[in-house]
Amino acid sequence: MKYWLILLFAMLLSPTAFAEQGLPAVTVTTNADGTQDYSVTLQVLAIMTALSFIPAAVIMMTSFTRIIVVLAILRQAIGLQQTPSNQVLLGMSLFLSIFIMAPIYNQVHDQAIQPYLDEEMSSMQALEAAKQPMKAFMLSQTRIKDLETFAQIAGYEKLDSPADTPFIVVIPAFVTSELQTAFIIGFMFFIPFLIVDLVVASVLMAMGMMMLSPMIVSLPFKIMLFVLVDGWSLVMGTLARSFGLGV
């Protein structure tokens, strides 16, 4: 115990001696062209901080939003409140998003990750290179109207092309377009099940069975219809093709 007290007393008496030593692992090097390279310690700290934003990035910057919204609308259209469960829908959306985003990841790996691992570019250069494929993907799925709306809000009213739009403007425009597209696709899936509900309700009313809920009777017919048309394959194929895959 006394040794710790002696060490603490020495630190209080001569703080400059410890300050002069500094932390050699935390350094920032300025290059000749004005760019800066950060030490591995700072890079690891930045990566650990960025991990907290990964869920938001996966949801808002990939195909995940469109897929999960469509699947949720489909479940509501069939009339099944908890089947498939939320965990199943999230898992399906996640792995289908991985399938759709695989070409984009390959571009990011070839243009940014691998050159950075080979020490051919700095961390900031790798980050800028990684943003380009993601930006191109989001722009390909974003409506011009949504892009113009957020560009005007941000004060970027004079842009030569959508590619000149800042990354921070592309993200909200992409999310808005994804929600719009998801509701359109969900509406198309909703119509056949709505027709089944109307037919069943009309038949029950004609038979005088007003006390019997049409939802109970129509549910087996909707499930049978969905199975007969190979619904899951149709839904997954439609979602994948909506991003330009297989076209």
Side-chain angles (χ1 to χ4, degrees):
M1 184 67 180
K2 62 180 182 179
Y3 297 105
W4 288 103
L5 293 176
I6 295 175
L7 179 60
L8 178 61
F9 184 72
M11 292 177 61
L12 293 175
L13 288 180
S14 57
T16 56
F18 288 89
E20 290 176 355
Q21 294 180 3
L23 296 175
V26 182
T27 58
V28 179
T29 304
T30 303
N31 301 321
D33 56 356
T35 59
Q36 292 181 331
D37 291 335
Y38 301 93
S39 62
V40 177
T41 305
L42 290 178
Q43 294 180 21
V44 172
L45 179 61
I47 293 174
M48 295 300 294
T49 304
L51 289 178
S52 61
F53 295 97
I54 288 181
V58 170
I59 293 174
M60 296 301 171
M61 296 174 60
T62 66
S63 58
F64 185 88
T65 300
R66 182 187 304 184
I67 297 171
I68 190 62
V69 171
V70 171
L71 293 181
I73 294 176
L74 177 65
R75 184 176 65 178
Q76 184 70 24
I78 297 177
L80 300 172
Q81 300 300 324
Q82 298 297 331
T83 304
S85 63
N86 293 332
Q87 291 81 358
V88 174
L89 291 185
L90 289 172
M92 293 169 59
S93 303
L94 179 60
F95 282 100
L96 186 58
S97 298
I98 293 175
F99 170 75
I100 294 174
M101 298 299 297
I104 310 302
Y105 170 76
N106 292 333
Q107 296 181 28
V108 173
H109 181 271
D110 295 338
Q111 299 178 16
I113 298 178
Q114 192 59 46
Y116 174 70
L117 295 177
D118 295 337
E119 299 183 355
E120 297 177 359
M121 59 175 56
S122 63
S123 58
M124 299 304 297
Q125 292 174 337
L127 180 61
E128 289 297 324
K131 287 166 55 177
Q132 300 307 316
M134 292 298 302
K135 182 178 179 180
F137 166 77
M138 289 190 289
L139 286 175
S140 66
Q141 305 297 326
T142 304
R143 299 184 305 166
I144 298 298
K145 180 180 179 181
D146 295 330
L147 200 62
E148 292 177 348
T149 299
F150 285 95
Q152 292 176 359
I153 295 175
Y156 299 98
E157 298 182 359
K158 297 181 180 179
L159 296 173
D160 297 333
S161 65
D164 297 332
T165 308
F167 196 75
I168 194 63
V169 176
V170 175
I171 295 176
F174 169 74
V175 175
T176 305
S177 295
E178 285 295 280
L179 291 175
Q180 178 78 2
T181 305
F183 274 78
I184 293 175
I185 298 176
F187 171 79
M188 299 302 296
F189 285 146
F190 210 109
I191 292 299
F193 300 106
L194 179 60
I195 294 175
V196 174
D197 287 333
L198 292 175
V199 171
V200 171
S202 300
V203 172
L204 291 178
M205 184 172 293
M207 296 175 63
M209 298 181 179
M210 301 181 191
M211 301 301 295
L212 183 61
S213 175
M215 296 296 297
I216 299 177
V217 180
S218 64
L219 180 58
F221 290 98
K222 290 190 288 186
I223 295 178
M224 181 181 65
L225 174 65
F226 192 70
V227 172
L228 289 178
V229 299
D230 197 10
W232 287 115
S233 178
L234 179 63
V235 170
M236 296 302 178
T238 300
L239 287 172
R241 293 187 183 93
S242 67
F243 289 96
L245 297 183
V247 177

